[in-house]
Amino acid sequence: MNDQQTQRTPRSLIVTFYGAYGRGGTGSADGTAAPVPVAALIRLLGALGVDPPSVRSAVSRLKRRGLLVPARTATGAAAYGLSDDARQLLEDGDRRIFGRPAARLSDGWVLAVFSVPEEERHKRHLLRSRLARLGFGTAAPGVWIAPAQLYEETRHTLERLQLAPYVDLFTGEHAGFAPTADAVARWWDLDALAARHRAFLEEQEPVLARWSRRRSVPPEAAYRDYLLALDAWRQLPYADPGLPSPLLPEGWPGGRAAEVFGRLHATLQAAGARYAHEVTTGA
């Protein structure tokens, strides 16, 4: 099972749906606003092969995590909208998922240096896992590094999780002694990142090829393929921080993966939005 398949849990798909179609503003193809009726979520996830009990269970978990909040539609139907924290997460994600440019060497780096007291070591684990999910590499124990363009998102994340008191952030250049490309190969597992990009391409290039041969874009089929592609893709810009291309191995597949997702996005998102709008509004 490849990385994209392992990410396809009901909870992940619900987050992906809200990011694509379940909110107003940037990232919502047609301005569809929360709250989304529970019955609509069940139907929308059903189109992706998720059964109703799994949808309800995933919604409950997202509610406990503070990402979804219960609401009512204008007709009084049970529904769920996004919390403020969830909106911030999705807005931060937009910058990565929908066209974040690769970093330039001249941009420099952001360093996260942290120290957590032993009696709060659970926060040390949380810090490490969050920095890894943001795309940081490990320069040394307690010293994590990423392209400087991730500074604002890192600050938002650490503040939201109340981890800022344990961390100092610095920005600057790599001044030696090893060549920066050699250092980057130590700080990140580039082979593992390349394998994830290739797995995405293996799965999604045939999908793009099928749609390229079609003369029409049926909304339900577009919605299904777009949500699955987006759910697979949105993990990659977090694992891969967008390192400057001169520091990457020859034949790096990340650019091709981004191109394939971009073409699927351009082909399918708007038609998928029509289907999502019909289901969520009953139009």
Side-chain angles (χ1 to χ4, degrees):
M1 179 178 290
N2 66 32
D3 281 317
Q4 282 68 45
Q5 290 171 319
T6 61
Q7 295 296 339
R8 267 188 205 133
T9 64
R11 182 166 47 183
S12 177
L13 288 168
I14 289 172
V15 172
T16 299
F17 166 77
Y18 272 93
Y21 300 131
R23 59 192 167 115
T26 302
S28 61
D30 65 343
T32 302
V36 179
V38 174
L41 275 177
I42 288 173
R43 182 177 169 189
L44 288 161
L45 271 291
L48 304 174
V50 182
D51 60 70
S54 296
V55 175
R56 294 190 180 95
S57 177
V59 166
S60 294
R61 290 195 295 272
L62 291 168
K63 178 183 173 183
R64 287 196 297 271
R65 289 181 57 191
L67 298 178
L68 293 182
V69 292
R72 293 281 175 180
T73 66
T75 60
Y80 282 91
L82 291 165
S83 68
D84 290 341
D85 281 349
R87 287 185 182 276
Q88 181 66 64
L89 281 170
L90 292 172
E91 288 169 8
D92 285 341
D94 287 345
R95 288 187 284 273
R96 290 185 180 235
I97 295 165
F98 300 108
R100 180 197 65 185
R104 298 170 299 180
L105 277 172
S106 59
D107 293 338
W109 306 90
V110 57
L111 287 176
V113 181
F114 63 84
S115 178
V116 180
E118 183 61 26
E119 60 269 20
E120 296 182 276
R121 58 183 175 272
H122 64 286
K123 292 186 177 179
R124 187 182 306 129
H125 172 73
L126 179 59
L127 256 171
R128 289 170 177 161
S129 64
R130 289 297 169 164
L131 290 172
R133 288 175 62 180
L134 285 167
F136 275 70
T138 307
V143 182
W144 292 59
I145 188 167
Q149 65 181 1
L150 300 187
Y151 167 75
E152 288 293 341
E153 184 180 356
T154 301
R155 184 176 62 80
H156 291 158
T157 300
L158 296 177
E159 289 176 343
R160 178 176 59 82
L161 296 174
Q162 299 181 348
L163 294 171
Y166 305 96
V167 183
D168 286 304
L169 296 178
F170 302 87
T171 58
E173 299 177 358
H174 178 237
F177 292 92
T180 303
D182 293 348
V184 162
R186 293 198 313 269
W187 299 337
W188 282 272
D189 186 343
L190 296 180
D191 288 342
L193 290 178
R196 293 188 66 169
H197 284 298
R198 292 189 183 100
F200 176 85
L201 288 168
E202 182 180 355
E203 181 183 75
Q204 295 300 327
E205 278 191 306
V207 177
L208 178 60
R210 287 199 304 272
W211 281 101
S212 297
R213 293 191 295 267
R214 299 185 70 156
R215 295 185 177 182
S216 63
V217 186
E220 183 174 357
Y223 161 82
R224 182 178 60 250
D225 281 356
Y226 179 66
L227 257 290
L228 293 175
L230 177 57
D231 194 60
W233 169 254
R234 72 181 181 86
Q235 313 296 330
L236 285 173
Y238 283 92
D240 182 340
L243 296 164
S245 57
L247 303 179
L248 294 169
E250 187 176 353
W252 184 253
R256 175 60 182 163
E259 178 188 353
V260 167
F261 174 72
R263 290 176 62 187
L264 286 168
H265 176 80
T267 302
L268 304 177
Q269 188 208 27
R274 292 195 293 272
Y275 178 75
H277 181 74
E278 290 170 2
V279 174
T280 55
T281 65

